Amino acid sequence: MALSGVHEDRGKLRIYESLDELGTDLADYVAELSEASVKERGVFAIALSGGTLISLMGKLCEAPYNKTVDWAKWYIFWVDERVVAKNHADSNYKLAKDGLLSKVPIVPSHVYSINDSVSAEEAANEYEFVIRQLVKTRTVSVSDISDCPKFDLILLGMGPDGHVASLFPDQSVLDEKDEWVTFITNSPKPPPERITFTLPVINSASNVAVVVTGESKAEAVHLAIDSLGPDDPLLPARMVQTTKGKLVWFLDKPAAEQLDGSQFSK
């Protein structure tokens, strides 16, 4: 049985006994948002991250979702991407294609991967241009309090250092306010060159889900969610704070073991 709770500042928390249970609930969550978005807007604009997130979304490839989800209305983006060839083992595109996109009837022209044949800076600029065109046609919504795109769902993982997307601790890109998509050439994790959505874009989404598993991330989960003192570090994951949308954390028990338990109910 999952534990659930609502943190006054950090969104809704869901904690699962097993990865299987988490994956089932995550598939339900994504399918429900897809249905609601297609009903309201005619499309579902979703941005994916890499890491273990794609494998945890695997139940979407199975019954009933492979038949009930309106896959033709999905438009796929990447919250961050490594500037490597699309068939490279480090490519988030390859990860998503192999683990999800090739197993469901997504329209190929609705999949927006980066240009992997240019520099990180050029790739970020081109990706932002593509998104700006899709905002003009309202394939991607626009925030009603800024000019930022408003994705229907942004899915994030989190590293043991508290990074989300390719926004790592203590990097200047955390302060970026004007660009929608930026780049780094010095990622603490290889490969070094990456593009990434900026915090204003992430925080403008209608829905943001942060999916975190494993005890190696328990301290970062605590620092990202619990009430902290002034001397605690400000992790990128803690800077994910939707302006008007909904924020949900999907956690397994090992990742949640350091959380203040007073905010949960079964």
Side-chain angles (χ1 to χ4, degrees), residues 3-223:
L3 291 173
S4 64
V6 178
H7 190 287
E8 59 179 323
D9 297 320
R10 305 300 298 135
K12 189 171 184 179
L13 312 179
R14 299 179 178 180
I15 300 175
Y16 301 91
E17 294 283 348
S18 69
L19 295 183
D20 187 67
E21 189 182 24
L22 190 158
T24 298
D25 211 34
L26 182 62
D28 271 346
Y29 166 82
V30 175
E32 286 172 11
L33 289 180
S34 169
E35 183 179 6
S37 181
V38 169
K39 192 174 290 184
E40 181 185 343
R41 304 201 308 112
V43 301
F44 181 53
I46 177 174
L48 305 172
S49 298
T52 57
L53 176 69
I54 298 301
S55 63
L56 291 167
M57 294 176 71
K59 283 190 165 40
L60 284 166
C61 305
E62 303 169 5
Y65 310 106
N66 56 352
K67 297 287 195 292
T68 58
V69 169
D70 194 349
W71 297 106
K73 301 295 199 310
W74 278 42
Y75 287 74
I76 313 285
F77 302 85
W78 275 264
V79 187
D80 68 319
E81 178 60 286
R82 292 85 178 269
V83 185
V84 295
K86 289 181 178 59
N87 60 356
H88 193 286
D90 289 330
S91 166
N92 285 341
Y93 167 83
K94 175 177 168 54
L95 186 70
K97 184 184 179 187
D98 293 350
L100 177 66
L101 305 183
S102 63
K103 300 178 180 180
V104 291
I106 298 280
V107 178
S109 63
H110 292 180
V111 178
Y112 293 90
S113 55
I114 71 164
N115 182 351
D116 58 9
S117 64
V118 296
S119 69
E121 182 174 12
E122 290 172 296
N125 289 340
E126 287 187 21
Y127 207 54
E128 178 168 328
F129 179 80
V130 167
I131 294 170
R132 285 187 181 275
Q133 302 314 299
L134 292 166
V135 165
K136 284 181 181 176
T137 62
R138 290 298 186 264
T139 302
V140 178
S141 291
V142 65
S143 167
D144 52 8
I145 56 174
S146 71
D147 77 331
C148 277
K150 185 170 74 171
F151 287 89
D152 299 308
L153 173 61
I154 289 180
L155 286 161
L156 300 171
M158 186 191 74
D161 60 353
H163 84 268
V164 290
S166 283
L167 300 169
F168 292 91
D170 304 318
Q171 290 202 331
S172 59
V173 291
L174 293 171
D175 300 319
E176 178 58 59
K177 299 289 191 293
D178 300 322
E179 305 292 339
W180 292 358
V181 183
T182 190
F183 69 99
I184 60 172
T185 57
N186 60 342
S187 167
K189 287 178 62 181
E193 296 200 351
R194 299 159 177 242
I195 68 108
T196 183
F197 283 6
T198 57
L199 280 167
V201 170
I202 292 171
N203 288 335
S204 293
S206 294
N207 298 276
V208 178
V210 189
V211 184
V212 193
T213 61
E215 63 180 326
S216 68
K217 300 174 183 178
E219 183 179 5
V221 167
H222 158 64
L223 291 171

Side-chain angles (χ1 to χ4, degrees), residues 218-233:
E219 183 179 5
V221 167
H222 158 64
L223 291 171
I225 295 175
D226 284 335
S227 299
L228 301 177
D231 297 328
D232 287 305

